[in-house]
Amino acid sequence: MLLLVGLQAVVFNHVHFFGYATPMPYVYLLLILPSTTPRWAFLLTGFFLGLTCDLFTNTPGMAAAATTALAFVLPPMLRLFVPRDFDEDAMLLPSVSTMEWWPFMRYALFAVLLHHALFFILESFTFFRPLSLLLDTLGSTLLTLLLIAIFEALGSAKHAKS
């Protein structure tokens, strides 16, 4: 957890493609929590993950609010993206290896889009620049999804070797 948050503070916060897109891969830590995690643990993990990012990235409360809100909706959101005929006992950890690529990436897309929309709405604190808000949200979502896909590809390759 600290490694990804540290990378967020040191590397990813300084990456701004076209002045809009900044990857926020720390959200991945919430996405891969076991499906059996109690709801209160999701909320606490989301809050402390966001608070840690806020402390290191100088975003007072924005990451904490966005990750806590995401943690609140993540367990029911996961159930939406798991195939109906899927054995829930087989999927303890949401990942490409348990859900396949397309369902996991749809799950990640909606979760990251929600997180980033909340984060950038809180950051701008206005709706008077909707194009800038849209570009920030969509660009950052695409970059974050690219990093999540890379993490999953590395994880599934490591899992396949063992």
Side-chain angles (χ1 to χ4, degrees), residues 5-162:
V5 172
L7 284 172
Q8 181 68 45
V10 175
V11 177
F12 296 125
N13 274 357
H14 302 290
V15 174
H16 304 287
F17 287 103
F18 307 111
Y20 292 103
T22 303
M24 296 184 210
Y26 64 89
V27 176
Y28 177 65
L29 297 171
L30 277 179
L31 296 178
I32 60 171
L33 281 177
S35 60
T36 56
T37 304
R39 194 85 179 255
W40 61 268
F42 261 101
L43 291 171
L44 282 177
T45 303
F47 175 73
F48 284 114
L49 177 63
L51 185 64
T52 306
C53 285
D54 285 334
L55 290 173
F56 289 114
T57 61
N58 197 25
T59 54
M62 292 181 281
T67 54
T68 304
L70 177 62
F72 182 73
V73 300
L74 214 50
M77 184 184 290
L78 177 61
R79 280 186 236 116
L80 288 175
F81 292 101
V82 174
R84 301 275 183 247
D85 59 345
F86 200 75
D87 181 18
E88 286 189 30
D89 295 331
M91 192 199 66
L92 293 177
L93 294 172
S95 68
V96 167
S97 60
T98 58
M99 294 175 68
E100 300 295 324
W101 273 101
W102 180 239
F104 181 78
M105 291 310 290
R106 280 191 328 204
Y107 163 66
L109 170 68
F110 282 96
V112 170
L113 187 61
L114 174 66
H115 174 270
H116 288 13
L118 291 170
F119 182 87
F120 287 115
I121 287 170
L122 289 171
E123 182 184 54
S124 68
F125 210 65
T126 183
F127 288 110
F128 289 116
R129 295 187 348 228
L131 183 60
S132 176
L133 183 64
L134 184 67
L135 288 173
D136 280 338
T137 302
L138 293 179
S140 297
T141 298
L142 289 175
L143 279 178
T144 303
L145 281 176
L146 177 65
L147 288 171
I148 288 172
I150 290 170
F151 296 156
E152 282 295 313
L154 291 174
S156 64
K158 187 170 90 172
H159 184 21
K161 284 183 182 179
S162 54

